[in-house]
């Protein structure tokens, strides 16, 4: 569980896209504590990616207050950007560069090392870090291949390496395991757990694989732009009538989540 | 787990300059990885200088009180820089289409560093085209004295920055490749004629004169011609303004275009 210091503070956040009739995010408020593992769940179109985009400074808000590590996302955007790492929902790699060139570009933009025109000329610490991370997600052999020749899963792994290279205080994961095989998913979560333990990294996760949120500190369910619930997973299970300490079979968070959303949406399937 | 932690350099200036270099280096890498772009950079001088310039020389040179070949070569060199920088700046739209702009915009560096890096990256291709133009000029028997050529080369990055800043005003707002290509035509064609790249504008008046005075390329061209024609009898017929005024106008207009272009670009990516 995280400390009492706030990593994310959101107050009355509203986002209305240009020309849209409704609000994609409708006055939501929540906090995430430093070091907390926080899941932001909801059905398609609920406002998860919109929220994560505002939190990561890539989208402007309509109204409300958002602070990341104590810094205002609009007035102090650069300070926010220094502290965060992101895996976007859509891949954001340059397909014409090699995997390593994509990582190098990121590392240099974050000021981790001066730009050099080849991997061999980069500082030893950079080369070591790249190889370490590549080993964790199993892409050592693909590092020097062009992105367009890598599978979707390999590209996702590369994005993970890229997002972690600057050891961010706060990691935003927008459906990070989409397209990954079971082994890669497991190794990714092991690595993220290790990163959290070692550096106290706060993790903000959106996912449609509800089992990935089973071990989070808190779950926030968003539905039609509003927060429907924000509590530890066990409380959510209780809220939908599951006994959190059953003697025979423990219900999964996914069961509780589906039941909860069905109830919210008048019995319709989530 | 082994542990290697990379920490950011503390100097803000280093980080900004490094990001300019990084963004530029990426575009240069992409240029050299793309044979099509390289061929295009070298084919443009054949079309612009060889065909358009050659035809103009054959049909317009008579009756002028200055050497049209030299006049046009300088015009084509500056025009080539502006045109190729504008064309290469459309890579911003490619970056938007593959979501790579997100990766750049989420980084903790100034948006100006990103845009200047893009312009400098585009400059490398433009300078290749400029070299091609010089080569075609050589085949046509039009040359520049080495000393003046070197001075011109020294100024060429500033001219590219001016051209890129103008291109940013439109391209920064555009999100589709098709529209970006049309925008490049919209930027480069009026510039070529209004600024006096291939035809003198000494007698322009009214709206056309006002438009020509608003374009950084007019002052870049005039400054380039002031360098090339310095000390010659033709100087008065060819050069419009004092070089100091040209320089000041380039700096002022480039700053305005760069500021507005960068603002529009960052805003259009963020405000949806």
């Amino acid at each position: 569980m995280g400390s009492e210091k706030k990593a994310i503070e959101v107050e009355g956040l509203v986002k209305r896209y240009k020309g849209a009739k409704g609000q994609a995010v409708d006055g939501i408020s929540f906090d995430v504590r430093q070091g907390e593992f926080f899941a932001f769940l909801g059905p398609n179109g609920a406002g998860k990616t919109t929220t994560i985009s505002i939190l990561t400074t890539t989208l402007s808000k309509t109204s409300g207050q958002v602070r990341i590590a104590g810094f205002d996302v609009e007035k102090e955007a650069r300070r926010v950007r220094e502290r965060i790492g992101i895996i976007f929902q859509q891949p954001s790699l340059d397909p014409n560069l090699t995997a390593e060139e994509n990582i190098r570009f990121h590392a240099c933009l974050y000021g981790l090392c001066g730009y050099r025109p080849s991997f061999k000329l980069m500082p030893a610490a950079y080369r070591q870090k790249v190889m370490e991370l590549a080993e964790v997600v199993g892409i050592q052999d693909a590092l020097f291949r062009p992105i367009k020749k890598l599978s979707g899963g390999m590209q996702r792994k590369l994005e993970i390496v890229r997002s972690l290279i600057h050891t961010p205080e706060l990691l935003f994961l927008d459906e990070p395991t989409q397209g990954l095989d079971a082994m890669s998913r497991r190794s990714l979560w092991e690595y993220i757990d290790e990163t959290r333990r070692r550096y106290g990294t706060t993790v903000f996760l959106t996912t449609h694989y509800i089992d990935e949120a089973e071990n989070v500190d808190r779950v926030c369910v968003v539905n039609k732009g509003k927060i429907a619930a924000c509590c530890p997973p066990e409380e959510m299970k209780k809220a939908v009538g599951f006994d959190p300490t059953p003697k025979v079979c423990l219900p999964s968070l996914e069961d509780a989540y589906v039941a909860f959303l069905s109830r919210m949406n008048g019995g319709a399937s989530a | 787990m082994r542990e290697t932690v990379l920490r950011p350099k503390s100097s803000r200036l280093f980080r900004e300059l490094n990001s300019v270099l990084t963004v530029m280096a990426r575009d240069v890498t992409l240029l050299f990885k793309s044979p099509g772009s390289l061929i295009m950079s070298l084919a443009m001088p054949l079309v612009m200088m060889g065909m358009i310039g050659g035809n103009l020389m054959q049909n317009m040179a008579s009756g002028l009180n200055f050497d049209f070949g030299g006049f046009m070569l300088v015009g084509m060199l500056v025009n080539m820089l502006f045109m190729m920088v504008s064309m290469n700046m459309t890579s911003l739209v490619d970056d938007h289409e593959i979501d790579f702009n997100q990766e750049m915009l989420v980084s903790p560096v100034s948006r100006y560093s990103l845009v200047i890096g893009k312009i400098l990256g585009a400059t490398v291709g433009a300078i290749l085209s400029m070299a091609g133009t010089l080569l075609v000029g050589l085949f046509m028997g039009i040359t520049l004295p080495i000393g003046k050529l070197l001075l011109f080369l020294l100024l060429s990055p500033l001219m590219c920055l001016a051209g890129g800043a103008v291109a940013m005003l439109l391209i920064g707002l555009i999100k589709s490749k098709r529209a970006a290509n049309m925008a490049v035509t919209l930027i480069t064609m009026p510039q070529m004629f209004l600024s006096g790249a291939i035809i003198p504008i000494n007698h322009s008046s009214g709206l056309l004169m006002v438009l020509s005075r608003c374009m950084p390329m007019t002052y870049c061209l005039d400054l380039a011609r002031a360098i090339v024609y310095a000390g010659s009898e033709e100087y008065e017929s060819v050069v419009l303004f004092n070089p100091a005024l040209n320089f000041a106008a380039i700096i002022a207009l480039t700053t305005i275009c760069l500021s507005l272009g960068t603002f529009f670009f960052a805003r259009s990516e963020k405000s949806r």
Side-chain angles (χ1 to χ4, degrees):
Chain A
M1 191 59 142
S3 72
E4 287 312 306
K5 214 170 162 188
K6 302 281 172 53
I8 302 174
E9 298 160 79
V10 177
E11 184 72 43
L13 178 64
V14 174
K15 177 64 188 179
R16 181 194 288 267
Y17 285 103
K18 284 177 186 167
K21 284 179 185 167
Q23 288 169 338
V25 174
D26 194 2
I28 63 173
S29 302
F30 62 89
D31 291 336
V32 179
R33 290 182 290 275
Q34 218 170 54
E36 191 174 3
F37 188 2
F38 188 86
F40 200 63
L41 308 179
N44 289 333
K48 304 185 298 293
T49 296
T50 300
T51 305
I52 222 170
S53 300
I54 295 169
L55 266 48
T56 55
T57 79
T58 57
L59 182 67
S60 61
K61 58 189 166 60
T62 304
S63 63
Q65 294 293 317
V66 180
R67 296 180 79 79
I68 303 289
F71 298 106
D72 187 284
V73 283
E74 293 204 336
K75 293 178 189 144
E76 298 163 296
R78 191 179 58 81
R79 288 184 175 273
V80 171
R81 292 178 189 127
E82 282 172 349
R83 286 160 175 81
I84 62 174
I86 310 159
I87 298 179
F88 294 105
Q89 192 179 45
Q90 299 295 329
S92 60
L93 298 164
D94 184 336
N96 295 305
L97 297 179
T98 66
E100 188 280 322
E101 284 168 339
N102 270 280
I103 299 171
R104 198 188 325 155
F105 183 87
H106 179 93
C108 293
L109 278 192
Y110 277 76
L112 303 180
C113 36
Y115 180 83
R116 317 260 169 93
S118 83
F119 180 67
K120 285 180 186 161
L121 295 174
M122 291 297 283
Y126 164 83
R127 285 183 278 134
Q128 197 174 330
K129 180 79 178 177
V130 169
M131 296 314 284
E132 277 174 26
L133 287 172
E135 199 180 323
V136 167
V137 291
I139 59 163
Q140 313 93 296
D141 299 336
L143 268 179
F144 301 101
R145 279 163 44 196
I147 297 294
K148 53 189 166 194
K149 293 194 175 163
L150 302 183
S151 66
M154 291 288 254
Q155 291 185 23
R156 206 63 178 154
K157 290 177 186 178
L158 174 65
E159 290 196 296
I160 291 157
V161 171
R162 192 179 63 174
S163 73
L164 292 172
I165 196 150
H166 60 288
T167 324
E169 285 173 31
L170 220 151
L171 189 58
F172 289 93
L173 307 171
D174 195 2
E175 300 183 29
T177 53
Q178 206 175 39
L180 289 189
D181 57 56
M183 287 292 285
S184 302
R185 279 177 68 186
R186 181 168 295 183
S187 65
L188 165 71
W189 285 116
E190 281 170 3
Y191 182 71
I192 287 174
D193 284 345
E194 179 66 30
T195 303
R196 285 185 57 232
R197 269 195 297 276
R198 191 174 288 262
Y199 304 113
T201 311
T202 309
V203 177
F204 186 100
L205 166 75
T206 76
T207 181
H208 285 298
Y209 300 114
I210 307 300
D211 59 305
E212 290 181 342
E214 194 76 53
N215 297 319
V216 301
D217 296 317
R218 273 190 304 153
V219 177
C220 188
V221 178
V222 61
N223 188 34
K224 296 174 183 166
K226 290 179 187 290
I227 288 181
C230 199
C231 55
E234 296 309 318
E235 271 184 38
M236 174 169 282
K237 291 173 189 174
K238 267 191 207 166
V240 290
F242 287 118
D243 177 359
T245 55
K247 293 175 181 61
V248 185
C249 179
L250 193 73
S252 71
L253 178 62
E254 183 163 349
D255 295 330
Y257 168 78
V258 171
F260 186 82
L261 274 182
S262 298
R263 195 179 291 176
M264 286 284 304
N265 295 323
S269 169
Chain B
M1 187 170 93
R2 284 168 289 171
E3 183 177 11
T4 306
V5 179
L6 296 174
R7 293 282 174 221
K9 309 281 180 202
S10 55
S11 161
R12 176 89 195 271
L13 180 66
F14 166 83
R15 288 167 66 169
E16 296 299 340
L17 291 176
N18 191 44
S19 62
V20 169
L21 177 66
T22 304
V23 174
M24 176 186 141
R26 170 177 169 256
D27 276 21
V28 175
T29 305
L30 293 177
L31 173 71
F32 286 101
K33 280 185 177 184
S34 161
S37 303
L38 267 180
I39 291 168
M40 185 73 176
S41 294
L42 296 169
M44 277 308 257
L46 275 178
V47 175
M48 298 303 293
M49 184 67 192
M51 295 180 190
I52 300 176
N55 201 29
L56 283 169
M57 261 185 78
Q58 288 173 0
N59 295 287
M60 283 188 62
S62 59
L64 294 172
N65 55 352
F66 54 84
D67 168 35
F68 184 73
F71 176 89
M72 189 198 56
L73 176 63
V74 177
M76 281 297 185
L77 288 174
V78 176
N79 183 53
M80 194 56 71
L81 291 178
F82 270 68
M83 182 182 274
M84 293 309 289
V85 164
S86 300
M87 286 170 75
N88 294 339
M89 287 294 286
T90 60
S91 67
L92 263 177
V93 181
D94 297 331
D95 290 344
H96 172 81
E97 286 180 347
I98 60 169
D99 275 331
F100 197 77
N101 278 348
Q102 295 270 51
E103 160 68 4
M104 288 198 286
L105 289 170
V106 84
S107 62
V109 293
S110 161
R111 271 72 282 254
Y112 288 104
S113 300
L114 300 176
V115 169
I116 291 171
K118 286 299 285 187
I119 295 175
L120 293 181
T123 296
V124 174
I127 287 179
L128 275 181
S129 296
M130 191 186 73
T133 305
L134 281 168
L135 203 63
V136 176
L138 194 67
F139 280 114
M140 292 167 72
I142 315 168
T143 55
L144 293 177
I146 291 292
K148 292 182 174 181
L149 179 62
L150 287 176
L151 260 177
F152 178 80
L153 286 177
L154 268 179
L155 281 173
S156 58
L158 175 66
M159 295 183 187
C160 289
L161 192 61
V166 174
M168 270 308 290
L169 277 178
L170 273 183
I171 293 170
L173 288 169
I174 291 170
K175 300 290 167 244
S176 89
K177 188 76 183 170
R178 187 183 158 90
N181 289 335
M182 286 168 73
V184 168
T185 309
L186 200 67
I187 296 166
T188 54
M189 293 309 282
Q191 271 188 156
M192 184 162 70
F193 291 103
L194 290 171
S195 62
I198 51 174
I199 43 171
I201 53 167
N202 309 44
H203 302 296
S204 293
S205 61
L207 179 63
L208 295 181
M209 188 196 74
V210 173
L211 286 173
S212 83
R213 301 303 188 261
C214 294
M215 293 180 168
M217 188 166 152
T218 305
Y219 304 97
C220 288
L221 265 168
D222 206 51
L223 183 60
R225 287 191 175 126
I227 291 167
V228 172
Y229 286 92
S232 75
E233 288 176 4
E234 295 162 315
Y235 187 93
E236 291 301 323
S237 319
V238 171
V239 178
L240 296 173
F241 311 113
N242 183 308
L245 173 73
N246 280 326
F247 194 76
I250 295 168
I251 299 290
L253 288 173
T254 303
T255 306
I256 293 168
C257 293
L258 195 62
S259 305
L260 287 174
T262 305
F263 172 77
F264 290 145
F265 166 64
R267 193 168 175 273
S268 71
E269 288 287 334
K270 216 177 153 179
S271 299
R272 282 173 268 148

